[in-house]
C-alpha cells in the first residue's frame, strides 16, 4: 500500500469522524449532557489531529489542536458546553471539514479560508485555558494532603481492578426453580469473587412475608478477566425479571453514584458497601452525594462527581486524574476493539465479488439443467445441496453491500437545523427506522432526492410561526424521516406537519402552464402527481432554499431510475407525506421465468401476486381487462407490446403483478418457474426501451429480458384509461348525435 | 426437615436438621413462627444438622433475625457446620447471626 492509499484511508476516516462529531454536537445541542458525548467529540478531534500530523497536514493540525484543547477542558469539566460554545464548535467542525477537503485536493487554504479559521479561533478564546489555571491544581493537592480531615489510602485504588455487579432479583425467581446461590457460585468460576454483600433491606412486614418469594439483592465484587458479555451471560436466565447493573473495572466514581441513585435501598447503606471495596471514603461519598443533590437542585443538571469531589477538596486531583486516565485507556481500548470489527474494503472489489457470484449463480443453473437431463439421482442430490449454498453465498454477498439508512438520515439533522435557522422557523427532525438497510449504491443516489424533498418541506411545507399559531399548531414544525422494509422493498417516508398541498392551486397552475386541459377531470391523487411534471413549481416565490432549478420532476426521474416509485398524500393545512418505494438491491433478484413464443422473460418475483390460466377468468366485454374475484384487472399481452410472432392457439397464462398500489396482468404463453437472476443493465442503445429493465443469462446460455413491471402496469392502466375515455367519448358523440 | 425446641434458663434453642431449601421454607417458616408466645427473649439456633441450604433458606433465617431485632429480641446461631459456614461466608451474612450481633 503506498502512501497515497493510506492518505485516502485518512480522508475516509476523517469524514466518518467529522460526521460522528457533528451528530454528537447536535445531540448536545438537544440537551444531551453525557460525558461520553463530549468524549466522543474530543476523540474525533484528537484522532483527526493525530493522523493529520502523520501526513504533515499542518493546517489541519494547527486548527484542530486548539479545538481539541477546548474540548479537553470541557471533558475535564473545567468549562461547560453550553449553546454559545456549541454554536462555535459546529462551525469549527465545518472548518476542519473544509481543511480536510482542501488537503484532499492538494491545495492550500485561500485567504478567505484562513480568515474563517482565525475568526473561529478568536471566538473560541474565552474558553481556552490560561496558564494560571493549569498550575492551579498543585496548591490544591498540597492543601488536601495537609488536610487531616480526609486521609486517602491510595493503595485501595489499585484494588479497583474489580467488576462491580449489582443485582436485584425478581420476586418469583425461587418459585421458578432458580437459586441465586448457584449463579453466585458460577461467577466464582469466572474469577475471584472478592466480596458479596447480601442486601436484605426489602423484607415486607411480618404478615406479608412469603418465604418462597425472593427479597434479597446482592452487591458483588468480582476480580476477573472475563468480558462483560461473559458476566452478563451468567445472569442469562434471570435477566428478564431482574435488575442487573455491571460496572467494569476502573470505572469512575460517577458510575457508582448513578448506581446508588438507581437502586431502591437507602443510599447511605449502599454507599457503605461501596466504601468497603473502593477508593472513596465514607465522608467523601456523603459530601459528594449531598453536593450532587444540591447542584442538581440549583442547576437542574448532574455534574460530574469527580469534579465535585475536587471542588470539595475531599479527593486529590491526582486520584481523579489517575482514575480518568485509567478510564480513558479503557475507553480507547474499547473503541479500538470496535474499530477492529470493521474492515475497509474497496467498493470496486466488492462489486467484482458480487459479479463473480452472479456468474456462479448462472453457472449453477446450467449445471442444474444438465443434471436434470442426465437424471442421475446422486448427482441431483449433490447439486441441490450445492444450490442451497450458492443461494446462501448470494445472500451473504448482497448483505455486504447493505448499509443502514441511518447515516443518510443523520446528515439531515444538520441540514434541518441550519435551514430552519435561515428561514427563521423552528423545525424538529424526527427519525425512525434508521437501522433499515439497503444497497449502498442506492443510498448514494437517494441523497439528492431526499434533500430536495426535505428542503421543500421546510421552505414551503412548514408554515411561518404566525400562521402556525393561527392554525393552532405547536410552534415547532415537525419533519419526520422514516424507513421500513416491506415485501422486498424499502419504503422511505418524508412527512411534515405543514400547510399541505393546495390541490386547487396545483390545478390552476397546471392549466396555466398547459399541462392539463381546463376541463380535464382528474382525481386528487392524479392532481398531486402533477407536481412531478417538469416546470410546475407551486411556490409563488422562488427562494434560495428550494427551487434552485432542480424540480420535483428530477426527483421523480431519480427515483424511477432506481426502479422505485414516489407517492404523495397531503391534506391542506395538516401536512404532506412523500413515500418512496425502492427495491433493496439492483444486483441480483429472485425472478419468475416466463416465455412468449421463443423469447424468455423474467418477472421480478416480489411483484407477482398470482399466475392464472387466462381463459379461466371472465373477461370484461370489449376491454383488455379480466375480472379477478370481483376486481377488474387490466392486462397486456407481451406478444402485442413487443410485437412477437407466435402461434395463437396456445393456452395463455396471466401473471398478476403489483407495484405500489397498482395491479395489472401480464399475458404470456408459458410459465417455467422460479429462477435466480443476475441483473445486467441494458446497453446504452436499449436504455430508452420501455417495459424492459435489464437482461440476464439463463442456465442454457440464452438471453432473457427482465420486465420492468412498473412501466408495464402503467402502460396497461393507461391503455384501459384511454380506451375508456374513447369509449365514453363515443357514447357521448352518439348521444349528441341522437339528441340533435 | 425437623425443628426441635428446648428452653433452658430463658434461652430457647431451636435445632434444625435436614434440608432448609425452597421446598420446605414455607413449612419451616410456619414452625418458626408457630406461636408468637413461643418467641422468647433469646433464641439460639443450632444449624449443625442442616444438610442442605439454599438462598430461600438463608433468606428465611435473615427474615427471622430481622423480625427478632425489630422487637429487641436476640436470635443467633450457636452451632453450625461446614456447609452452613461456607454459605454464610460467601454471602457475608455470618456476622449477622453472631451472638452479639446488633444487626
Amino acid at each position: 500500500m503506498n502512501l497515497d492509499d493510506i492518505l485516502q484511508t485518512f480522508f475516509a476516516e476523517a469524514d466518518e469522524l467529522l460526521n460522528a462529531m457533528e451528530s454528537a454536537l447536535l445531540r448536545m445541542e438537544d440537551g444531551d449532557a453525557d460525558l461520553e458525548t463530549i468524549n466522543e467529540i474530543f476523540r474525533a478531534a484528537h484522532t483527526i489531529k493525530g493522523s493529520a500530523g502523520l501526513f504533515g497536514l499542518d493546517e489541519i493540525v494547527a486548527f484542530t489542536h486548539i479545538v481539541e484543547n477546548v474540548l479537553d477542558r470541557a471533558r475535564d469539566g473545567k468549562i461547560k458546553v453550553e449553546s454559545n460554545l456549541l454554536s462555535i464548535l459546529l462551525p469549527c467542525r465545518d472548518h476542519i471539514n473544509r481543511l480536510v477537503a482542501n488537503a484532499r485536493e492538494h491545495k492550500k487554504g485561500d485567504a478567505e479560508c484562513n480568515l474563517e479559521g482565525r475568526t473561529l479561533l478568536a471566538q473560541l478564546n474565552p474558553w481556552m485555558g490560561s496558564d494560571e489555571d493549569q498550575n492551579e491544581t498543585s496548591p490544591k493537592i498540597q492543601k488536601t494532603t495537609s488536610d487531616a480531615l480526609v486521609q486517602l489510602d491510595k493503595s485501595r485504588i489499585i484494588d479497583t481492578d474489580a467488576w462491580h455487579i449489582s443485582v436485584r432479583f425478581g420476586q418469583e425467581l425461587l418459585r421458578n426453580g432458580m437459586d441465586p446461590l448457584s449463579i453466585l457460585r458460577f461467577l466464582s468460576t469466572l474469577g475471584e469473587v472478592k466480596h458479596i454483600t447480601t442486601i436484605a433491606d426489602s423484607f415486607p412486614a411480618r404478615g406479608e412475608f412469603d418465604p418462597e418469594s425472593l427479597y434479597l439483592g446482592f452487591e458483588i465484587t468480582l476480580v476477573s478477566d472475563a468480558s462483560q458479555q461473559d458476566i452478563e451471560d451468567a445472569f442469562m436466565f434471570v435477566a428478564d425479571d431482574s435488575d442487573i447493573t455491571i460496572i467494569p473495572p476502573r470505572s469512575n466514581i460517577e458510575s457508582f453514584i448513578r448506581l446508588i441513585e438507581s437502586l431502591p435501598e437507602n443510599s447511605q447503606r449502599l454507599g457503605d458497601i461501596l466504601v468497603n471495596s473502593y477508593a472513596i471514603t465514607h465522608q467523601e461519598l456523603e459530601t459528594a452525594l449531598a453536593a450532587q443533590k444540591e447542584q442538581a437542585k440549583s442547576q437542574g443538571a448532574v455534574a460530574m462527581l469527580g469534579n465535585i469531589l475536587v471542588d470539595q477538596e475531599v479527593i486529590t486531583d491526582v486520584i481523579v486524574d489517575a482514575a480518568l486516565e485509567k478510564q480513558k485507556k479503557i475507553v480507547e481500548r474499547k473503541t479500538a476493539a470496535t474499530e477492529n470489527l470493521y474492515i475497509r474494503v474497496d467498493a470496486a472489489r466488492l462489486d467484482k465479488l458480487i459479479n463473480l457470484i452472479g456468474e456462479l449463480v448462472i453457472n449453477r443453473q446450467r449445471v442444474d439443467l444438465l443434471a436434470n437431463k442426465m437424471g442421475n439421482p446422486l448427482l441431483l442430490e449433490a447439486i441441490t445441496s450445492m444450490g442451497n449454498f450458492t443461494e446462501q453465498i448470494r445472500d451473504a454477498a448482497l448483505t455486504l453491500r447493505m448499509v443502514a439508512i441511518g447515516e443518510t438520515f443523520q446528515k439531515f439533522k444538520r441540514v434541518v437545523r441550519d435551514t430552519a435557522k435561515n428561514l427563521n422557523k423552528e423545525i424538529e427532525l424526527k427519525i425512525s427506522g434508521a437501522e433499515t438497510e439497503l444497497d449502498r449504491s442506492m443510498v448514494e443516489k437517494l441523497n439528492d432526492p431526499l434533500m430536495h424533498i426535505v428542503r421543500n418541506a421546510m421552505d414551503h411545507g412548514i408554515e411561518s410561526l404566525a400562521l402556525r399559531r393561527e392554525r393552532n399548531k405547536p410552534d415547532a414544525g415537525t419533519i419526520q424521516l422514516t424507513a421500513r422494509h416491506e415485501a422486498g422493498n424499502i419504503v422511505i417516508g418524508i412527512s411534515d406537519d405543514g400547510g399541505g398541498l393546495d390541490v386547487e392551486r396545483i390545478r390552476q397552475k397546471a392549466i396555466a402552464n398547459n399541462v392539463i386541459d381546463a376541463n380535464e377531470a382528474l382525481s386528487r391523487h392524479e392532481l398531486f402527481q402533477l407536481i412531478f411534471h417538469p416546470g410546475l413549481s407551486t411556490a409563488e416565490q422562488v427562494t434560495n432554499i428550494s427551487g434552485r432549478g432542480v424540480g420535483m420532476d428530477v426527483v421523480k426521474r431519480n427515483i424511477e431510475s432506481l426502479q422505485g416509485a414516489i407517492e404523495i398524500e397531503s391534506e391542506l393545512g395538516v401536512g404532506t407525506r412523500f413515500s418512496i418505494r425502492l427495491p433493496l438491491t439492483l444486483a441480483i433478484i429472485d425472478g419468475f421465468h416466463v416465455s412468449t413464443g421463443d423469447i424468455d422473460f423474467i418477472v421480478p418475483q416480489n411483484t407477482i401476486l398470482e399466475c392464472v390460466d387466462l381463459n379461466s377468468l371472465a373477461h370484461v366485454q370489449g376491454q383488455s381487462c379480466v375480472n379477478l374475484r370481483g376486481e377488474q384487472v387490466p392486462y397486456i399481452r407481451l406478444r402485442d407490446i413487443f410485437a412477437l410472432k407466435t402461434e395463437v392457439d396456445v393456452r395463455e397464462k396471466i401473471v398478476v403483478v403489483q407495484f405500489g398500489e397498482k395491479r395489472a396482468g401480464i399475458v404470456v404463453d408459458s410459465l417455467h418457474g422460479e429462477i435466480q437472476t443476475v441483473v445486467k443493465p441494458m446497453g446504452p442503445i436499449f436504455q430508452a426501451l420501455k417495459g424492459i429493465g435489464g437482461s440476464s443469462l439463463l442456465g442454457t446460455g440464452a438471453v432473457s429480458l427482465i420486465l420492468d413491471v412498473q412501466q408495464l402496469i402503467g402502460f396497461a392502466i393507461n391503455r384501459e384509461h384511454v380506451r375508456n375515455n374513447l369509449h365514453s367519448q363515443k357514447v357521448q358523440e352518439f348521444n349528441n348525435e341522437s339528441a340533435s | 426437615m425437623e425443628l426441635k425446641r428446648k428452653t433452658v434458663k430463658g434461652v430457647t434453642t431451636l435445632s434444625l436438621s435436614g434440608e432448609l431449601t425452597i421446598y420446605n421454607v414455607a413449612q419451616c417458616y410456619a414452625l418458626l413462627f408457630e406461636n408468637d408466645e413461643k418467641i422468647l427473649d433469646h433464641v439460639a439456633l443450632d444449624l449443625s444438622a442442616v444438610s442442605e441450604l439454599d438462598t430461600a433458606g438463608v433468606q428465611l433465617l435473615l427474615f427471622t433475625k430481622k423480625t427478632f431485632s425489630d422487637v429487641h429480641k436476640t436470635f443467633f446461631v450457636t452451632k453450625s457446620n461446614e456447609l452452613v459456614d461456607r454459605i454464610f461466608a460467601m454471602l457475608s451474612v455470618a456476622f449477622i447471626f453472631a451472638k452479639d450481633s446488633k444487626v
Side-chain angles (χ1 to χ4, degrees):
Chain A
M1 202 185 249
N2 62 30
L3 194 66
D4 214 38
D5 286 344
I6 307 175
L7 196 60
Q8 290 311 318
T9 315
F10 162 68
F11 290 137
E13 189 188 70
D15 279 349
E16 263 169 39
L17 288 166
L18 284 167
N19 282 344
M21 191 171 168
E22 182 175 52
S23 78
L25 282 169
L26 290 173
R27 277 208 309 281
M28 293 200 74
E29 206 172 47
D30 288 344
D32 177 356
D34 195 8
L35 182 66
E36 189 43 45
T37 312
I38 303 178
N39 268 331
E40 191 183 335
I41 302 168
F42 170 81
R43 276 199 306 272
H46 181 76
T47 314
I48 292 174
K49 187 195 80 175
S51 314
L54 287 178
F55 296 104
L57 302 168
D58 296 334
E59 282 185 18
I60 301 179
V61 176
F63 183 82
T64 314
H65 176 69
I66 295 173
V67 177
E68 184 197 333
N69 275 351
V70 171
L71 289 168
D72 197 25
R73 288 171 56 79
R75 205 168 62 132
D76 292 347
K78 288 188 180 123
I79 50 171
K80 275 212 168 63
V81 186
E82 279 161 344
S83 62
N84 47 357
L85 177 54
L86 280 171
S87 62
I88 303 170
L89 284 175
L90 269 168
C92 282
R93 175 254 165 219
D94 293 348
H95 187 71
I96 299 174
N97 196 18
R98 189 170 172 179
L99 294 173
V100 171
N102 281 347
R104 195 185 310 225
E105 288 160 21
H106 301 289
K107 65 177 187 191
K108 288 263 165 210
D110 49 20
E112 187 215 342
C113 176
N114 291 342
L115 179 70
E116 182 185 272
R118 276 201 303 277
T119 321
L120 285 170
L121 292 184
Q123 285 174 324
L124 274 182
N125 211 25
W127 285 278
M128 281 189 251
S130 55
D131 289 345
E132 293 100 75
D133 74 14
Q134 272 164 12
N135 293 332
E136 188 189 12
T137 44
S138 36
K140 210 184 241 173
I141 294 172
Q142 280 170 0
K143 217 158 96 196
T144 316
T145 37
S146 66
D147 197 338
L149 197 117
V150 182
Q151 287 272 320
L152 281 169
D153 183 1
K154 285 185 188 170
S155 64
R156 265 156 62 193
I157 284 186
I158 301 159
D159 211 18
T160 55
D161 267 7
W163 295 79
H164 185 87
I165 306 164
S166 170
V167 209
R168 298 294 178 273
F169 290 110
Q171 279 206 1
E172 294 301 306
L173 205 76
L174 298 174
R175 260 191 286 269
N176 292 340
M178 305 278 178
D179 185 1
L181 268 176
S182 48
I183 296 174
L184 299 177
R185 278 190 199 109
F186 177 76
L187 279 179
S188 63
T189 64
L190 294 176
E192 187 194 348
V193 177
K194 280 256 175 189
H195 193 84
I196 297 175
T197 309
T198 307
I199 311 287
D201 292 6
S202 336
F203 283 136
R206 256 294 295 286
E208 286 153 32
F209 178 75
D210 174 357
E212 290 179 358
S213 291
L214 184 58
Y215 305 99
L216 300 180
F218 298 95
E219 299 292 327
I220 305 154
T221 313
L222 172 72
V223 178
S224 167
D225 294 333
S227 68
Q228 175 127 5
Q229 191 60 50
D230 289 341
I231 296 175
E232 275 171 17
D233 283 351
F235 296 95
M236 189 168 20
F237 298 111
V238 299
D240 280 352
D241 29 71
S242 308
D243 291 325
I244 301 160
T245 309
I246 300 174
I247 301 177
R250 295 179 217 89
S251 289
N252 61 0
I253 302 166
E254 206 192 357
S255 334
F256 290 102
I257 299 295
R258 235 182 275 143
L259 168 69
I260 291 174
E261 284 173 345
S262 72
L263 290 173
E265 290 90 7
N266 186 329
S267 300
Q268 190 72 60
R269 199 167 122 56
L270 288 164
D272 290 348
I273 294 160
L274 297 178
V275 167
N276 283 338
S277 6
Y278 303 100
I280 39 175
T281 69
H282 197 105
Q283 272 158 325
E284 289 158 11
L285 188 87
E286 218 163 278
T287 331
L289 270 176
Q292 193 165 34
K293 261 182 209 154
E294 200 59 40
Q295 199 155 353
K297 238 187 271 166
S298 59
Q299 296 178 359
V302 176
M304 190 188 155
L305 192 80
N307 294 326
I308 300 170
L309 287 169
V310 172
D311 289 348
Q312 301 280 332
E313 294 178 4
V314 291
I315 189 166
T316 62
D317 273 11
V318 179
I319 290 171
V320 172
D321 285 351
L324 281 176
E325 194 56 40
K326 277 185 180 176
Q327 198 193 352
K328 202 161 87 189
K329 275 187 199 146
I330 291 170
V331 169
E332 274 163 9
R333 212 181 303 149
K334 255 194 208 158
T335 36
T338 42
E339 267 163 15
N340 282 342
L341 294 176
Y342 295 99
I343 305 173
R344 234 175 257 285
V345 181
D346 192 352
R349 286 194 204 179
L350 209 56
D351 286 345
K352 190 173 176 200
L353 174 72
I354 305 240
N355 268 336
L356 285 173
I357 288 168
E359 299 298 331
L360 181 70
V361 170
I362 293 171
N363 274 294
R364 191 214 120 202
Q365 279 158 12
R366 173 144 185 80
V367 175
D368 248 1
L369 219 72
L370 292 174
N372 269 325
K373 256 187 204 161
M374 290 169 66
N376 180 332
L378 282 176
L379 182 62
L380 280 173
E381 195 185 313
I383 281 170
T384 313
S385 96
M386 192 186 83
N388 210 342
F389 286 115
T390 338
E391 238 161 79
Q392 284 183 32
I393 290 174
R394 178 199 69 157
D395 290 345
L398 284 182
T399 57
L400 286 180
R401 288 164 58 115
M402 293 295 197
V403 289
I405 198 163
E407 208 181 307
T408 310
F409 280 0
Q410 281 302 326
K411 284 188 195 146
F412 285 101
K413 280 214 158 151
R414 182 68 187 278
V415 175
V416 168
R417 172 191 178 274
D418 290 355
T419 316
K421 272 196 177 162
N422 260 342
L423 290 167
N424 220 353
K425 289 177 183 174
E426 209 179 313
I427 300 173
E428 199 188 336
L429 179 71
K430 285 187 184 159
I431 289 174
S432 69
E435 69 291 342
T436 315
E437 290 187 323
L438 81 164
D439 199 289
R440 194 189 161 82
S441 61
M442 313 269 283
V443 172
E444 284 157 9
K445 288 174 190 154
L446 254 180
N447 246 331
D448 288 346
L450 281 183
M451 182 72 76
H452 190 81
I453 297 172
V454 170
R455 285 210 154 120
N456 260 341
M458 285 190 287
D459 197 9
H460 309 310
I462 307 280
E463 312 94 325
S464 63
L465 187 59
L467 190 56
R468 285 188 73 85
R469 285 192 175 153
E470 198 180 298
R471 287 178 175 170
N472 279 334
K473 288 183 177 181
D475 284 0
T478 309
I479 291 180
Q480 201 160 9
L481 288 174
T482 57
R484 67 194 150 86
H485 282 153
E486 192 186 280
N489 287 315
I490 181 170
V491 181
I492 298 164
I494 308 110
S495 53
D496 65 63
D497 66 346
L501 291 173
D502 188 339
V503 181
E504 209 29 59
R505 240 174 70 200
I506 296 173
R507 188 187 169 77
Q508 294 307 332
K509 188 115 185 182
I511 294 171
N513 289 9
N514 286 328
V515 176
I516 55 166
D517 212 37
N519 48 15
E520 198 168 330
L522 290 175
S523 70
R524 221 177 128 73
H525 178 251
E526 283 166 322
L527 282 168
F528 284 147
Q529 292 293 328
L530 282 177
I531 68 162
F532 294 118
H533 201 280
L536 201 92
S537 170
T538 53
E540 263 136 36
Q541 236 182 350
V542 173
T543 64
N544 66 342
I545 304 296
S546 60
R548 271 193 283 199
V550 191
M552 289 302 280
D553 58 318
V554 178
V555 170
K556 189 176 185 190
R557 263 213 311 278
N558 281 346
I559 302 287
E560 280 176 353
S561 72
L562 296 171
Q563 308 291 317
I566 181 164
E567 304 246 325
I568 319 168
E569 295 154 43
S570 179
E571 199 168 324
L572 194 60
V574 178
T576 308
R577 180 188 165 80
F578 287 86
S579 308
I580 299 173
R581 181 182 295 270
L582 293 167
L584 291 181
T585 177
L586 300 173
I588 302 180
I589 58 166
D590 276 319
F592 191 74
H593 180 193
V594 298
S595 64
T596 290
D598 50 3
I599 309 285
D600 294 297
F601 294 96
I602 308 279
V603 187
Q605 183 90 29
N606 56 20
T607 63
I608 299 182
L609 291 178
E610 59 187 302
C611 303
V612 202
D613 207 336
L614 182 63
N615 290 329
S616 70
L617 296 174
H619 287 249
V620 180
Q621 191 73 44
Q623 291 177 25
S624 295
C625 214
V626 286
N627 186 337
L628 187 69
R629 290 182 294 275
E631 190 194 350
Q632 295 208 355
V633 178
Y635 65 82
I636 44 164
R637 280 194 168 81
L638 288 185
R639 188 199 308 148
D640 295 348
I641 63 161
F642 295 125
L644 305 173
K645 275 179 223 144
T646 60
E647 299 139 53
V648 191
D649 60 341
V650 287
R651 283 174 67 93
E652 288 175 311
K653 317 286 187 303
I654 180 166
V655 181
V656 183
V657 288
Q658 175 168 1
F659 192 90
E661 303 297 313
K662 296 177 191 139
R663 289 173 184 195
I666 298 171
V667 176
V668 299
D669 287 356
S670 41
L671 308 172
H672 300 289
E674 288 175 33
I675 195 168
Q676 278 188 8
T677 340
V678 183
V679 181
K680 305 258 176 197
M682 298 297 273
I685 304 173
F686 301 109
Q687 215 113 76
L689 195 63
K690 293 264 184 235
I692 302 285
S695 66
S696 174
L697 286 179
L698 291 179
T700 56
V703 174
S704 67
L705 299 169
I706 300 166
L707 296 176
D708 185 331
V709 168
Q710 194 195 351
Q711 279 178 359
L712 290 177
I713 293 176
F715 188 69
I717 291 175
N718 268 342
R719 205 173 58 171
E720 276 324 288
H721 196 72
V722 171
R723 197 177 302 199
N724 282 347
N725 279 351
L726 275 180
H727 180 68
S728 54
Q729 245 172 28
K730 271 183 195 152
V731 170
Q732 202 150 24
E733 278 164 21
F734 175 77
N735 286 345
N736 288 348
E737 272 167 30
S738 42
S740 59
Chain B
M1 205 261 328
E2 211 183 340
L3 186 69
K4 280 186 192 147
R5 265 168 219 276
K6 204 166 91 184
T7 306
V8 182
K9 289 179 194 166
V11 176
T12 303
T13 304
L14 296 176
S15 306
L16 258 168
S17 56
E19 277 182 30
L20 180 53
T21 64
I22 181 71
Y23 299 107
N24 56 24
V25 277
Q27 183 196 359
C28 184
Y29 173 60
L31 286 173
L32 275 171
F33 292 93
E34 202 175 27
N35 199 333
D36 276 0
E37 286 92 315
K38 283 185 186 168
I39 299 181
L40 299 172
D41 279 355
H42 304 286
V43 172
L45 195 59
D46 179 354
L47 299 175
S48 56
V50 168
S51 61
E52 216 176 302
L53 182 64
D54 69 358
T55 315
V58 175
Q59 175 177 268
L60 177 62
L61 297 177
L62 284 168
F63 177 75
T64 313
K65 168 76 192 177
K66 181 180 173 287
T67 312
F68 272 69
S69 296
D70 285 352
V71 291
H72 306 290
K73 295 181 179 185
T74 52
F75 175 82
F76 61 95
V77 173
T78 150
K79 275 186 197 164
S80 65
N81 59 25
E82 206 198 316
L83 170 99
V84 173
D85 285 348
R86 211 172 53 231
I87 292 173
F88 279 9
M90 182 174 164
L91 297 179
S92 319
V93 293
F95 73 101
I96 296 175
F97 297 112
K99 189 173 181 183
D100 50 0
S101 163
K102 293 277 178 289
V103 181

